[in-house]
Amino acid sequence: FFILILVCSCSDKKEHIANILSMNSIDIKTNRINKDEVIARGAFPFEMIDSLFFLFNGDPSSGALVLCESNASELGHFLQKGNGFGECITPGYIGHCNDTIYVSERSRTRRMTYLLSNHNDSLQYKCLEDVSPKMNSEFYYQICRLQSGLFVGARLFGKEHLFTLLDESLDTLTTFARVPIDIEENANNKLAPFIGHLCIDDNTVYYASNDFSYMAAYDILSEKEIKPVFERMYISPIIQKSANGISLDKYKHLLGFGDIRVYQNYIFATYIGKPDITMDQENDTSALVPTHLLVFNKDGVPIVKFKFPFKIRSFVFTKSKMYLLDVDCNIESVDLAELWKHLPD
């Protein structure tokens, strides 16, 4: 049999929340930036730093492939693969501040700081810091840097809280954000890890779950004070409970969000909204890569749904454009003015 698990919202407002499945989609046309094929299969995350595209984990010999904004031509490579000082096997992007980039090693808890320069199309970088926690630490699938200089680590499902607040050495300060589904104690839990994506806006962390249609945001006011902004489950999960344990129903449960970004007064998140079985039915490993982009206000209320003519791996913003990385590593662009026409002032 199946059970529906509910999550409560932290908002006291009684506003109407649109059903993200039934929202009408607005088709968006884009322009391709790259003239030649970009060889960076599996690249993620996709970031923009100082008018340069960084395709992390898209090159077997370096941490990131770096491309120019104008035509996505190759400028160089960032971060050497290895286990030495300033080297990394599986880099995770933490954030950047001016010409300083912060990177984590995903295979173990470790943070590196690099100074980046680009003069006359010559990319250079230097590792300034390579630190590990002084105390025992757990594995984080993503780490982000707050404006305050503190860090947030995203934990795997099975923990009481989703996130850990970390100091500059990635040592634990506190944990926060309770797992938003209620599982019976001692149940044989076979749910997928509660993995998602984080993004930071000043000292607010935003989270969108991959496996659930769940989004949340938290203000990190200090090392000891964390305030929920909102916690929303947009589509109730469908959990299958049997003699073998508890698991997501692959035929009926709809998967959640892909990437998430905050820009100006809005939250942008790609949305899957399909059951896991879709990949088998379509015999396509990319069947669950989203084509829809949902826009929310900063209270997590959905405003509009955009649809693109390709599968979106990730996306970034500049002052005038949104760039999207498709499943084949082509880079597409759309003027923000085209999106703003459909958004409230």
Side-chain angles (χ1 to χ4, degrees), residues 232-291:
R232 298 189 188 276
M233 187 75 81
Y234 299 97
I235 304 294
S236 295
I238 300 179
I239 309 296
Q240 183 175 5
K241 185 176 182 181
S242 67
N244 295 324
I246 297 174
S247 61
L248 296 175
D249 179 66
K250 68 177 184 178
Y251 294 95
K252 297 182 178 181
H253 173 79
L254 302 182
L255 298 178
F257 298 97
D259 205 1
I260 180 174
R261 306 278 175 167
V262 173
Y263 186 73
Q264 293 190 5
N265 296 321
Y266 305 106
I267 305 167
F268 296 79
T270 53
Y271 184 65
I272 304 167
K274 298 178 181 179
D276 190 55
I277 194 64
T278 305
M279 192 162 55
D280 295 334
Q281 292 172 336
E282 298 183 8
N283 193 26
D284 181 0
T285 56
S286 68
L288 295 175
V289 180
T291 58

Side-chain angles (χ1 to χ4, degrees), residues 78-244:
F78 170 70
L79 203 157
Q80 184 173 338
K81 288 289 185 76
N83 294 307
F85 179 85
E87 297 177 339
C88 201
I89 299 298
T90 311
Y93 174 76
I94 292 179
H96 79 279
C97 180
N98 298 323
D99 55 359
T100 302
I101 301 178
Y102 302 90
V103 174
S104 67
E105 168 61 87
R106 288 185 170 182
S107 62
R108 60 191 179 94
T109 304
R110 178 169 156 241
R111 176 180 65 80
M112 289 147 287
T113 304
Y114 299 87
L115 187 65
L116 181 76
S117 64
N118 176 30
H119 298 293
N120 298 322
D121 290 337
S122 176
L123 185 70
Q124 298 184 12
Y125 62 91
K126 178 183 180 181
C127 184
L128 304 177
E129 192 177 31
D130 188 333
V131 300
S132 298
K134 299 175 183 177
M135 299 176 287
N136 292 331
S137 180
E138 63 181 284
F139 170 78
Y140 301 106
Y141 65 83
Q142 185 181 355
I143 297 174
C144 292
R145 182 181 184 271
L146 300 166
Q147 188 180 55
S148 66
L150 299 178
F151 297 82
V152 174
R155 314 164 88 195
L156 287 176
F157 183 75
K159 310 291 185 179
E160 182 181 0
H161 294 105
L162 292 174
F163 312 120
T164 301
L165 185 62
L166 306 164
D167 65 13
E168 291 186 350
S169 298
L170 302 187
D171 282 310
T172 298
L173 296 173
T174 188
T175 59
F176 65 99
R178 292 185 65 86
V179 173
I181 56 174
D182 186 19
I183 300 297
E184 298 175 10
E185 190 175 356
N186 301 322
N188 183 12
N189 183 6
K190 293 186 178 181
L191 294 180
F194 214 97
I195 291 177
H197 291 292
L198 304 180
C199 70
I200 301 296
D201 183 33
D202 292 332
N203 290 307
T204 303
V205 56
Y206 294 84
Y207 164 77
S209 171
N210 291 158
D211 294 309
F212 301 86
S213 299
Y214 178 79
M215 189 180 290
Y218 302 88
D219 285 334
I220 314 300
L221 303 176
S222 69
E223 294 183 6
K224 297 181 179 180
E225 187 178 2
I226 299 171
K227 178 183 176 182
V229 179
F230 69 86
E231 297 170 326
R232 298 189 188 276
M233 187 75 81
Y234 299 97
I235 304 294
S236 295
I238 300 179
I239 309 296
Q240 183 175 5
K241 185 176 182 181
S242 67
N244 295 324

